[in-house]
Amino acid sequence: MTEKQIYNCHTHIFTHRHVPNRYLSLMGMPLIPVLRHRFLRRRLPRYLQMVIFWSRSDFLNRVAAFYHAAMFDRQEDCYCELASFYPPKTRFVVLPMDLAYMGAGTPLVNIDRQHEELAALAKVFPEIIPFAHIDPRRPDALRRLRTLVEEHGFKGVKIYPPLGYDPNDRVLMTEIYPYMVRNGLPLMSHCSQGGVATKDEAAESARLRTHPDRYRHVMDRFPLLRVCLGHFGGIRQWTLYFDDPTKRELTWQARIRSLIKEEGYTNLYTDISYTVFHFQDNVPLLKIFLEDPDLAPRILFGSDYYMAYNERFSEKRLSIDLRAALGERLFWKIANDNPRRYLGIDE
Ligand SMILES: [Zn+2]
């Protein structure tokens, strides 16, 4: 019997060359140029580990995770490390990032080059499932997407509303989603309160735009569009779900489940990337959700590599420990059956 392939539905391999200088800043000071500095590249991780250990700071955790990617100059190096953590033939949905419009400066390498580099890499490593990052504010969004899909075999679209646009954006609604439905392309969207956001506005407006309920109208208009809300609401919302009974049903985690179950959106998925790295806290509840026949077909395995790089739980152990914790039946549901349905891949 041949072993099934694992599908990791949520990974990143973009590097420091693809992020603007003020992508991360500390009290107004841009950190990326510091992280790029060759002298510091070797010394910083150890110092950072010590500070994180004492401060338990979310922000520094993010800095350290990104720092890991800043060590690589090529997406290929990043990808090879990722692949080394999984069995051979594991497939990876790779999600690029277009960070040019977040108000943090211009990246060294623009999104077109990032997409081209990824397209070339996917030809060498057929395990890669490349998605296109579409920022609807970039001119010619549809023409760019068509080229990536029709000439380079891209398989889906990534959007990231905290960067400054709405899932109901006019270009997305009138051009991008209709094209995706016609071509059977799935949508992946960032749906947690963590991660990066535009520097130009209050965090609250980014949060409102990223909320799971913002997708209701999109799904009503495009019922055939397969939508994945990444991160299952995110770690903070899972913690809130456990800690505050008065807010439980309002958490993004509960909202996503309700959109799937009570409101019956049949092409809505969610992935467990990053959130699953708080393994002890979150995997038991995940296992209970997976026994629910309505939710079980809609949850996808993903890791968010390299964003969780600095969590105490390691990517190397993730698929093994998760398989042991969930058991064969549930593991292969989220790591193979559901991803293939979401991606539209027949084996
Ligand atoms: Zn991500």
Side-chain angles (χ1 to χ4, degrees), residues 10 12 158 231 304 307:
H10 193 134
H12 303 287
K158 162 80 180 230
H231 315 299
D304 209 21
M307 298 300 175

Side-chain angles (χ1 to χ4, degrees), residues 61-89:
N61 240 329
R62 241 172 5 104
V63 173
F66 184 76
Y67 179 82
H68 185 73
M71 307 274 282
F72 298 114
D73 282 321
R74 302 181 312 161
Q75 296 186 65
E76 178 169 357
D77 302 323
C78 224
Y79 173 72
C80 288
E81 186 195 71
L82 163 64
S84 77
F85 295 149
Y86 290 85
K89 300 213 168 75

Side-chain angles (χ1 to χ4, degrees), residues 6-206:
I6 294 175
Y7 283 75
N8 183 338
C9 295
H10 193 134
T11 71
H12 303 287
I13 59 172
F14 64 93
T15 73
H16 68 99
R17 292 155 70 242
H18 307 112
V19 310
N21 278 349
R22 284 178 287 117
Y23 172 72
L24 295 165
S25 38
L26 189 59
M27 292 182 282
M29 194 185 81
L31 286 180
I32 297 298
V34 182
L35 299 184
R36 282 195 187 113
H37 200 284
R38 291 215 174 264
F39 174 81
L40 277 172
R41 276 206 215 177
R42 267 176 291 129
R43 285 167 182 77
L44 198 62
R46 229 172 342 123
Y47 300 137
L48 218 45
Q49 290 296 351
M50 289 189 307
V51 183
I52 290 167
F53 183 80
W54 293 111
S55 67
R56 304 193 54 125
S57 149
D58 253 15
F59 172 74
L60 287 177
N61 240 329
R62 241 172 5 104
V63 173
F66 184 76
Y67 179 82
H68 185 73
M71 307 274 282
F72 298 114
D73 282 321
R74 302 181 312 161
Q75 296 186 65
E76 178 169 357
D77 302 323
C78 224
Y79 173 72
C80 288
E81 186 195 71
L82 163 64
S84 77
F85 295 149
Y86 290 85
K89 300 213 168 75
T90 298
R91 304 207 64 189
F92 301 94
V93 170
V94 172
L95 306 166
M97 286 293 265
D98 183 356
L99 297 165
Y101 294 86
M102 66 181 287
T106 309
L108 294 177
V109 171
N110 71 23
I111 187 67
D112 292 336
R113 299 289 92 73
Q114 189 188 150
H115 280 144
E116 279 165 22
E117 196 187 336
L118 177 58
L121 204 58
K123 292 195 174 90
V124 181
F125 300 102
E127 294 80 17
I128 292 178
I129 302 167
F131 272 39
H133 191 122
I134 296 299
D135 186 321
R137 295 166 295 182
R138 190 175 278 283
D140 288 335
L142 181 59
R143 187 183 53 77
R144 285 159 191 279
L145 176 61
R146 290 183 72 133
T147 309
L148 292 168
V149 172
E150 291 164 32
E151 289 170 28
H152 299 290
F154 276 54
K155 301 288 186 222
V157 169
K158 162 80 180 230
I159 60 168
Y160 203 105
L163 292 175
Y165 52 89
D166 194 286
N168 295 278
D169 174 277
R170 190 188 55 82
V171 172
L172 293 175
M173 293 298 280
T174 60
E175 298 178 32
I176 301 298
Y177 299 149
Y179 176 80
M180 291 173 68
V181 171
R182 283 200 301 281
N183 291 276
L185 301 168
L187 178 74
M188 171 64 80
S189 182
H190 177 90
C191 191
S192 87
Q193 298 186 8
V196 289
T198 168
K199 311 278 183 202
D200 299 334
E201 62 176 16
E204 187 52 27
S205 16

Side-chain angles (χ1 to χ4, degrees), residues 249-266:
E249 292 314 310
L250 295 173
T251 60
W252 291 15
Q253 180 249 69
R255 288 302 312 138
I256 292 173
R257 284 188 293 111
S258 160
L259 288 169
I260 293 174
K261 267 180 82 78
E262 279 85 43
E263 302 190 36
Y265 286 105
T266 52

